[in-house]
Amino acid sequence: GPGGGRAGKGEKDKTPPVSVWRTLFMANEWSELATERRISVPLTFALLAVVLVSADQQWVATPRPNADDLSPGQVNPALQFAAAVFWFLILVLIQLVWVWAIAERFIEPSATLRFVDLCTVAKISIVLLDERYHGFYLHCDAPYDFADADMSQLVLSLSDEAGTVRAGRGLIGAPPDSGDAQAFELFLPQVWRRTFDSYYTRLDEELAARARQAGAASAAGARGGSGGQRQSALRASVDRDTAVLKHRTANAIARFIKGFVVKDQRAAGLSRVFRERSYLQRFFHTPPDIEAENQTTGQRRSADEGVSVFMLDRELRIETLIFRGVEWDLLLLALLIFSVVQFYTADPVLGAFLAILIDRVFVLVRQEWGRQNLAAKTLVDDRFLI
């Protein structure tokens, strides 16, 4: 989840704490990015219904020798499906060409690149784990000292960066040919995951102990005839203690990740190597050979030591975590819903309506579950996630 931001590189007493508003802002931006897509499902199916009904293209599916005869008649199911898919693909391809050839080239970059840029300006780096030993890292450490600055300082820093007065945005230690690569795919050893999980385990234990203490105090207060005012004060105290514990744990996790990313912690049994995907790995989406990397780096293949592989993510495979990465799957599901409804009702408008409605349900569910997961993993108060 979002975290691990670096507020500055100066001396400790001159480095201000990371502003929580930057962390909250990036968390909310990630929540919005999660449902961002290139293809508009409402627009696609609304236009599909217009073409099939208003332009009478649904009657192309009638088994007649004359293709220009669009008078109503008995529809062949196979031809009906073929006509819907044909116009669906045309509408999707038009949008893809617009986004790829014009919108993301001459108007503004893709939503993912804009998110990485925004995180870089805010100096909030991000680790995203989609599996136990696999995830992605966005290195978003701008070359200027502080992100909490006024507009003139921010513009001046960006101008210096554009004029190569300052260093680039790339991760220190990355291969020279990686340039200013900021996205990396992570393959992690067991020892890293155990250390990472230990922070959440300790937090859960401390929160459970505080809850038991609060429950005992509440029961004692009830037996002693205490009023509702004392109960409210007790709940407020528990909320404050919970917030302090979560803040402390979040800072500890950020220090652990920062130390792991910036330094090669061989003494702690953690080391990292940078690798470039081969053509075969890109085509078959195969992971690196961790055991071979252990032998190459001299790490013992045990549960207490291991090497983490940072693969340069030039293809932005990080988008597989959001709707942009599974866009074709979602479009195919919506098309199948449309086709099934049209098959049983012979009503393209109803099919389009249900396809759009069910797609909207998926978006709302993803947003809600995403917010809950974001609050649980970043340890930020979910009341600030909108």
Side-chain angles (χ1 to χ4, degrees), residues 86-370:
F86 174 78
W87 288 108
F88 171 82
L89 289 177
I90 288 180
L91 294 172
V92 168
L93 288 175
I94 290 174
Q95 293 179 74
L96 282 178
V97 170
W98 162 258
V99 171
W100 176 78
I102 300 176
E104 292 185 354
R105 289 177 180 265
F106 303 106
I107 299 177
E108 62 180 8
S110 69
T112 306
L113 293 179
R114 283 185 279 120
F115 175 74
V116 174
D117 263 348
L118 190 60
C119 289
T120 303
V121 173
K123 295 177 74 69
I124 299 291
S125 296
I126 298 177
V127 171
L128 299 154
L129 301 178
D130 60 334
E131 296 180 14
R132 185 162 182 80
Y133 303 109
H134 176 266
F136 296 88
Y137 172 64
L138 293 179
H139 183 68
C140 302
D141 187 15
Y144 37 87
D145 294 328
F146 304 109
D148 292 319
D150 57 33
M151 182 58 69
S152 61
Q153 292 174 322
L154 181 60
V155 172
L156 180 61
S157 298
L158 292 175
S159 299
D160 290 344
E161 184 182 359
T164 66
V165 176
R166 297 178 182 270
R169 298 180 175 184
L171 178 59
I172 297 176
D177 60 348
S178 65
D180 283 345
Q182 296 179 262
F184 299 88
E185 188 174 359
L186 301 179
F187 296 89
L188 303 166
Q190 294 183 19
V191 60
W192 190 98
R193 185 68 202 212
R194 267 204 321 274
T195 305
F196 180 76
D197 288 342
S198 66
Y199 293 102
Y200 294 97
T201 302
R202 286 196 296 269
L203 174 63
D204 291 339
E205 293 172 352
E206 292 181 2
L207 291 178
R210 295 293 178 93
R212 288 193 297 269
Q213 294 174 2
S218 177
R223 288 194 300 269
S226 299
Q229 185 175 3
R230 181 172 179 179
Q231 300 294 326
S232 299
L234 181 61
R235 284 194 298 269
S237 176
V238 172
D239 289 342
R240 285 194 298 270
D241 292 342
T242 300
V244 170
L245 286 174
K246 287 185 176 181
H247 176 69
R248 189 185 307 157
T249 303
N251 286 339
I253 294 173
R255 287 194 298 269
F256 164 69
I257 294 177
K258 178 180 176 181
F260 165 69
V261 169
V262 176
K263 303 174 184 178
D264 194 3
Q265 298 179 328
R266 290 178 182 269
L270 294 170
S271 64
R272 56 176 171 79
V273 294
F274 294 91
R275 293 291 182 264
E276 183 85 43
R277 280 185 174 275
S278 65
Y279 291 109
L280 289 179
Q281 286 176 326
R282 293 177 186 175
F283 184 79
F284 292 107
H285 303 293
T286 55
D289 189 342
I290 298 296
E291 293 188 0
E293 297 292 350
N294 284 331
Q295 295 175 353
T296 302
T297 57
Q299 290 285 338
R300 290 190 298 109
R301 289 177 290 174
S302 69
D304 296 325
E305 293 184 348
V307 60
S308 300
V309 180
F310 281 56
M311 304 285 285
L312 297 179
D313 187 16
R314 300 186 188 274
E315 300 86 17
L316 286 181
R317 284 171 51 83
I318 192 174
E319 290 185 342
T320 57
L321 305 183
I322 59 179
F323 275 13
R324 283 176 68 99
V326 293
E327 193 163 22
W328 285 107
D329 299 321
L330 296 171
L331 284 172
L332 179 60
L333 175 62
L335 176 61
L336 291 177
I337 292 171
F338 172 86
S339 300
V340 169
V341 174
Q342 187 187 25
F343 175 78
Y344 284 106
T345 66
D347 189 350
V349 175
L350 179 60
F353 173 76
L354 290 178
I356 294 171
L357 179 63
I358 294 176
D359 180 78
R360 182 58 184 170
V361 170
F362 277 112
V363 171
L364 294 176
V365 170
R366 173 62 179 85
Q367 289 175 341
E368 181 59 30
W369 285 1

